[in-house]
Amino acid sequence: MTWVAWRQFRTPALVTLGLFVAFALLVLLTGLHLRDVYNSVGGAHCDARGGCTAVAGHDKALAQVLQPALLVLPALLGMFWGAPLLARELESGTYRLAWTQSVTRRRWLLVKVALGGAAALAVAGLASWLVSWWYAPLDHLNRISLEPTHFSERGIVAIGYAGFAFALGVAAGALLRRTLPAMIATLLGFVATRLAVTYLVRPHLLAARHALLPLTFGQGVGLLAGPEGITIYAGAPTIPNAWVLSTKLVDHAHHTLGSSQLHDLLARTCPTIAGPDAQYGKGPGFGGSAFESCLHAVSRHVQLLVAYQPPSHYWPLQALETAIFLAAAAALIGATAWRLGRRPAPRPAVGESSQRAERPDAASEPGAEIDAPLVLLPDERRRADEGS
Amino acid sequence: MIEFQLDARSGVSPYMQIVQQVRHALRLGLLREGDQLPTVKEVVARLAINPNTVLKAYRELEHAGLVTARPGVGTFATGSLADPALAEHGPLRRELRGWIIKARRAGLDEESIEALFRDAVRSARIEGVA
Amino acid sequence: MSAALATRRLGKRFGRRWALSGCTLQVPAGRVVGLVGSNGAGKTTLLHLAVGLDEPSEGTIAVLGEEVAGASSQLSRVGFVAQDTPLYPALSVEDHLRLGAALNPGWDATLARDRVRQLALDPRQRAGTLSGGQRAQLALTLATAKRPELLVLDEPVASLDPLARREFLRSLMEFTAEHAVSVVLSSHLIADLERLCDYLVLLAEGQVQLAGDADELLASHRRISGPRRDSARLPANQQVVEESHTERQSTLLVRTDEPIIDPAWEVAEVSLEDIVLAYMRPDARPAADGKAPKAGR
């Protein structure tokens, strides 16, 4: 069976191998060059004004193309390796040849899945290593490793994604029985699941940490005209290599401040800007220095309460998410294999003559004699409304 | 070695055709005592018919004493359908002669007599009385 | 010996339509069984149930004494040639044989090699480029080289030209002659019945209309014709299968186990083809109580 699985997998495997070798060469050659540039400007101690930008700007086009590589690769593996596995056999009718040899359907499926799945994981693993290696200098400078999309494009999660997409393809093929619909369903299912896990599951995989930060740490801190008047706005602060989940404006007692409370605070602290007589957007109160001093005053009363995943959670989260996707893959394969081999419970064979004698109604049963033409009573016939 | 033919449209079942062809060959001397008949496999390969059919034909011929099966070797002709057997049925012959004379007097020509006779033999077999 | 195929009230439904229903059969082993019926009668459904490609909606089915459950041991006892002989177009003849060897413990490599040589097939030719007759022969090779006890073929010659058809059947019968095997062969062509089959099963609209030994069917059916007579006045032991009447004459196809001695009737034998055609007619069902069915005209 292993030979059969390989023989059927041979062409897609070799095509992928060829493409992958080209990909690997590209990555290795350009990556080495990138590293040269990086080291020549001093590595991590690069000059933020000139040197670091040189690194960031190097091979910008390639960097943009490679960025989503580890998101696209699993989807392609799922669509081109997973979906046709069952769907092609069912669509073309060759299952009537494959499943009437001496191998059970389950074994047939599991061997094919094991081969394709292992290959998918290996490809994803190699690609992960290559891409992460290539980006290492840039990632070192940018420090956004836990940022949601970025997190999915590095590390080892692509291995989990690949396994899952492959399994999803196989399951879709079994359900839909046609290759093209299965490919489309795989793509859509993969994207939907990945997005759902990224935004609904990942934030809760490990308990978030909390920190109190000064107001000024927030990005783009400013004033906003709200429904109850002028209020303070503060965007999420940048914490290097961390993932900020939520940012709240709080007082000293750590109570969240609503926009009306913020407005009152502003009115008290900066009457010229936010007081009842002030005119928003006009007059001397809105100059640069008045604004600065207002913020300064306000920040004595307001702080940022930040919930975030710290950098130390990076690898644990990678491992957890990979495990989740691989577990889902295993569940999908298990369900598909179960459904494929489902059989009624074994019963005693029907043809044995000794059993025929035991059955009480054997004599009156139509067709009990071998050679008589069968006579069918009306209530045994089940006719469809539409005849054949 | 004798080679069988099959006439799909003759109305005679395949097994009966084989039996008849063997008897015919024996009668004409094409098949002599000790000659081997084709194996079941050879017949089947040539005619594309059910092997059970050939087996049945050979069994019937064996039952009639015309062939004998030697396991592992083949089937061989043993008897012959020589005319002397026919000569023994004197009374039948005389009765038949009488009937032929009557038929002639009734105006039947030779062809009609043969047709009438053949038909009667057939009907008797089909109706199950002979 | 166990029956080659035994079913009990077997039924299969696709959506709302019953492709097969109330099917009860006991097909003896060691025969060449003809499964006949028009297109859509349920032949493929029955055969797929027999080889485990489908599951019954009701009833049971057993092959060679074992309930059909997809077990590897049973799969190796049954060889199957599906309709349109599916093969892998990208795989060569050699690859297919290798596939057979890899997936069947009982694979007879010598038999396979000899057949391929006999058929003059190029081992390296891809199956997608073979002719219809060659594909059928390759599929037959795959099914026979695993040395099954039961060989099931679903309309294997339906789309072949007459020469290829004859060659295929010749190969099939040769194999049957050499090895103790039961054969179930479905076809909607009934011309070859008498020379090939010694057991017959007729399906119409998903139900078994006729099942029996070919010789017995031939011996028990007669066509009788004579002066016009109401078929209900026939003796009870003569079952009317088909009848037609003109003003003065009646012609009936009857089934009976006893000689027909009424001198008013002219009695003739019928071929298997005639018998099958008669039972295929929608109005030719023998009724449960043995009385004659409604007239055919």
Side-chain angles (χ1 to χ4, degrees), chain B residues 19 26 32-33 88-89 101 113:
Chain B
V19 169
L26 282 171
R32 281 187 274 261
E33 193 166 337
E88 285 167 25
H89 297 290
I101 292 169
I113 291 174

Side-chain angles (χ1 to χ4, degrees), chain C residues 56-125:
Chain C
S57 305
E58 60 170 24
T60 61
I61 176 164
V63 152
L64 300 170
E66 263 183 81
E67 179 112 5
V68 176
S72 171
S73 55
Q74 187 185 61
L75 286 170
S76 60
R77 296 168 78 193
V78 180
F80 182 54
V81 177
Q83 201 164 19
D84 301 329
T85 58
L87 298 168
Y88 291 104
L91 264 59
S92 68
V93 170
E94 199 161 36
D95 284 334
H96 277 93
L97 294 189
R98 189 137 176 219
L99 184 149
L103 298 184
N104 295 293
W107 185 257
D108 185 342
T110 320
L111 195 158
R113 260 199 322 268
D114 287 345
R115 263 190 61 90
V116 167
R117 201 172 346 112
Q118 215 179 4
L119 296 163
L121 290 175
D122 177 5
R124 274 161 313 169
Q125 189 175 358

Side-chain angles (χ1 to χ4, degrees), chain B residues 6 8 11 13-14 40-41 44-53 56 122 125-129, chain C residues 30-32 166 169-170 173-174 176-178 194-198 215 222 259-261 267-269:
Chain B
L6 202 64
S13 70
V40 174
K41 182 173 168 211
V44 160
R46 200 179 125 65
L47 298 180
I49 60 171
N50 191 328
N52 287 336
T53 308
K56 200 163 105 174
R122 234 184 85 242
R125 170 170 54 86
I126 289 168
E127 284 161 16
V129 300
Chain C
R31 309 296 199 89
V32 176
R166 179 50 61 92
L169 293 173
R170 196 194 300 275
M173 288 298 115
E174 250 188 282
T176 315
E178 266 187 293
E194 279 193 63
R195 72 195 292 145
L196 292 175
C197 306
D198 49 10
D215 284 342
R222 295 283 183 262
I260 298 166
I261 45 179
V267 182
E269 287 180 329

